[in-house]
């Protein structure tokens, strides 16, 4: 690992300035290092990419970093930094005053409703953002509804990831309505959000409207039943924009639900990827990635890659229905327990 003391002590290094980057991922930097990071941002050549994923800046450090970001920053990654609603407010203020930021990644934090609402309000003033990742942030229905209102009218947002929250059917319905109104949104991920039949039917209605521009929709690991699956399948018969749909929500699509989609695909001419069954290879690779990230973050120590692979195989065998999310990117959200199970965040 790079000596972070050395890195932060030399903010004028040519590597940082010439590359147009301030990249300090997984350095375990606390809020006390935020002033030095702030100086690096202010001195760096723009356009600037700031990557601070996997540190421990929390709200205090996030406020300092966000206050240093101006129109010289076009990408900001503050994921996995234990940022709550207070820190999200500072990032929202940055969004309001910046018209150059195009990518904002905040996954694996603790923003909750307050943070989601703050970001939603900021999106009404910001017109440059193209990619927004708020996955695994303890966002529930109220935050989703606020985001939906802003997303619907945003002129440039193309990719939105809200996976791993607790948005539910009501929030999903509001977001589906936003997809119908948005003139820019192309890629939307709402996997693992307790979305059921009502939410699925809302997205089905959206997909049948010409105003919906979505090219990719991910609803994996949801609570969608036969009714919702049938509605989504029927929508694919008339939809002409969707290229990718991820419907891996358990055993439903092995039987009746799968047949709905197979029949719909006979008349759909634009879909290129329809994921319905999670393969053992996919699950093993994801579990291995998850354990590798936990190991890298210091959650436990594995002696070798062989040991990691053995642990991954053990998890797959112990829990055949293992559901995964963005675990390679948000490892601190998932913590190992003595029983070798992994707990989801409590909302």
């Amino acid at each position: 690992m790079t000596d972070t003391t050395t890195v932060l002590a030399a903010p004028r290094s040519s590597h940082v300035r010439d590359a147009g980057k301030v990249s300090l991922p997984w350095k375990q930097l606390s809020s006390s290092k935020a002033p030095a990071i702030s100086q690096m941002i202010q001195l760096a050549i723009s356009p600037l990419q700031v990557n601070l994923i996997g540190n421990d800046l929390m709200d205090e450090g996030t406020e300092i970093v966000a206050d240093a970001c101006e129109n010289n920053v076009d990408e900001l990654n503050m994921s996995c930094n234990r940022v709550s609603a207070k820190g999200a407010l500072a990032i929202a203020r940055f969004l309001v005053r910046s018209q150059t930021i195009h990518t904002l990644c905040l996954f694996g934090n603790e923003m909750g409703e307050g943070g989601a609402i703050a970001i939603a309000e900021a999106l009404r003033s910001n017109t440059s953002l193209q990619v927004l990742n708020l996955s695994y942030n303890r966002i529930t229905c109220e935050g989703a509804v606020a985001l939906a209102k802003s997303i619907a009218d945003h002129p440039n947002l193309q990719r939105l990831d809200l996976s791993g929250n607790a948005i539910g059917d009501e929030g999903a319905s509001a977001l589906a309505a936003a997809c119908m109104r948005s003139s820019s949104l192309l890629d939307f991920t709402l996997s693992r959000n307790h979305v059921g039949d009502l939410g699925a039917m809302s997205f089905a209605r959206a997909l049948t409207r010409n105003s919906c521009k979505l090219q990719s929709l991910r609803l994996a690991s949801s609570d969608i039943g036969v009714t919702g699956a049938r509605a989504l399948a029927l929508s694919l018969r008339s939809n002409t924009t969707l290229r990718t749909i991820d419907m891996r929500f358990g055993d439903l699509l092995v039987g009746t639900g799968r047949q709905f989609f197979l029949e719909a695909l006979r008349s759909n001419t634009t879909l290129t990827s329809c994921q319905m069954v999670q393969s053992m290879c996919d699950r093993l690779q994801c579990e291995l990635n998850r354990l590798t990230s936990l190991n890298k973050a210091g959650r436990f120590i594995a002696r070798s890659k062989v040991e990691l692979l053995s642990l991954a195989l053990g998890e797959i065998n112990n829990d055949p229905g293992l559901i995964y999310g963005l675990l390679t990117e948000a490892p601190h959200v998932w913590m190992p327990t003595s029983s070798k199970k992994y707990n989801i965040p409590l909302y």
Side-chain angles (χ1 to χ4, degrees):
M1 180 181 293
T2 304
D3 187 340
T4 56
T5 303
T6 301
V7 171
L8 294 176
R12 295 181 180 272
S13 69
S14 61
H15 169 74
V16 173
R17 294 202 321 272
D18 294 344
K21 294 181 181 180
V22 173
S23 185
L24 295 166
W26 305 106
K27 302 296 183 183
Q28 300 180 345
L29 302 176
S30 66
S31 59
S32 65
K33 301 296 184 183
I37 297 172
S38 173
Q39 186 181 9
M40 295 171 70
I41 292 171
Q42 291 170 340
L43 292 173
I45 291 176
S46 60
L48 181 62
Q49 299 172 8
V50 179
N51 182 10
L52 298 172
I53 181 177
N55 288 294
D56 199 26
L57 294 173
M58 304 180 68
D59 289 334
E60 181 182 354
T62 298
E63 289 178 324
I64 295 172
V65 170
D67 287 345
C69 294
E70 297 293 342
N71 280 324
N72 62 324
V73 176
D74 59 8
E75 294 185 23
L76 178 61
N77 190 341
M78 293 291 296
S79 303
C80 304
N81 267 283
R82 293 202 287 167
V83 179
S84 73
K86 183 180 179 182
L89 281 170
I91 294 173
R93 289 194 296 269
F94 159 62
L95 275 178
V96 169
R97 66 178 183 267
S98 173
Q99 293 303 323
T100 60
I101 180 75
H102 62 68
T103 300
L104 178 61
C105 295
L106 297 171
F107 59 76
N109 284 303
E110 304 163 2
M111 290 169 40
E113 300 302 326
I117 292 171
I119 297 296
E121 289 291 332
L123 287 176
R124 296 183 180 181
S125 300
N126 175 281
T127 59
S128 62
L129 198 66
Q130 298 175 21
V131 178
L132 177 61
N133 190 331
L134 298 178
S135 58
Y136 295 91
N137 261 290
R138 306 182 181 183
I139 299 170
T140 56
C141 176
E142 185 179 353
V145 170
L147 286 166
K149 292 177 181 177
S150 298
I151 291 162
D153 299 320
H154 197 281
N156 289 307
L157 189 67
Q158 298 177 17
R159 295 178 58 188
L160 176 64
D161 191 340
L162 294 175
S163 57
N165 288 296
I167 288 171
D169 279 334
E170 185 178 347
S173 297
L175 290 163
C179 290
M180 280 193 286
R181 289 179 53 189
S182 173
S183 61
S184 61
L185 192 62
L186 303 176
D187 188 311
F188 186 33
T189 301
L190 196 62
S191 300
R192 205 170 182 280
N193 264 286
H194 309 298
V195 177
D197 285 340
L198 292 177
M201 288 188 287
S202 295
F203 275 101
R205 285 193 294 272
L207 292 174
T208 60
R209 303 295 177 87
N210 292 332
S211 58
C212 182
K213 309 299 183 184
L214 281 182
Q215 295 181 6
S216 178
L217 176 63
R218 299 176 184 86
L219 294 170
S221 305
S222 296
D223 301 327
I224 299 171
V226 173
T227 301
R230 183 174 184 274
L232 285 166
L234 289 173
S235 72
L236 295 180
R237 294 184 177 183
S238 58
N239 179 275
T240 59
T241 61
L242 208 64
R243 301 291 183 271
T244 300
I245 187 167
D246 188 347
M247 306 299 298
R248 293 173 292 179
F249 36 79
D251 295 333
L252 171 65
L253 294 184
V254 174
T256 306
R258 184 178 183 181
Q259 188 60 36
F260 290 147
F261 279 90
L262 291 176
E263 291 175 1
L265 291 176
R266 293 192 182 102
S267 55
N268 184 290
T269 59
T270 57
L271 203 65
T272 58
S273 175
C274 182
Q275 297 172 287
M276 295 186 290
V277 180
Q278 182 178 317
S279 70
M280 180 64 75
C281 181
D282 289 340
R283 293 167 59 200
L284 177 58
Q285 181 61 57
C286 187
E287 182 66 8
L288 181 58
N289 289 344
R290 171 161 68 112
L291 291 169
T292 301
S293 294
L294 286 169
N295 187 49
K296 183 177 180 180
R299 306 306 183 194
F300 70 92
I301 303 299
R303 290 182 293 273
S304 66
K305 290 183 179 180
V306 172
E307 183 175 347
L308 281 172
L309 179 59
S310 176
L311 287 168
L313 284 167
E315 288 298 326
I316 293 297
N317 291 332
N318 290 338
D319 187 3
L322 186 67
I323 302 299
Y324 65 88
L326 296 176
L327 305 179
T328 60
E329 297 176 314
H332 88 271
V333 177
W334 296 74
M335 301 295 291
T337 66
S338 57
S339 62
K340 291 187 178 181
K341 297 294 181 183
Y342 292 80
N343 300 323
I344 63 173
L346 299 176
Y347 298 104

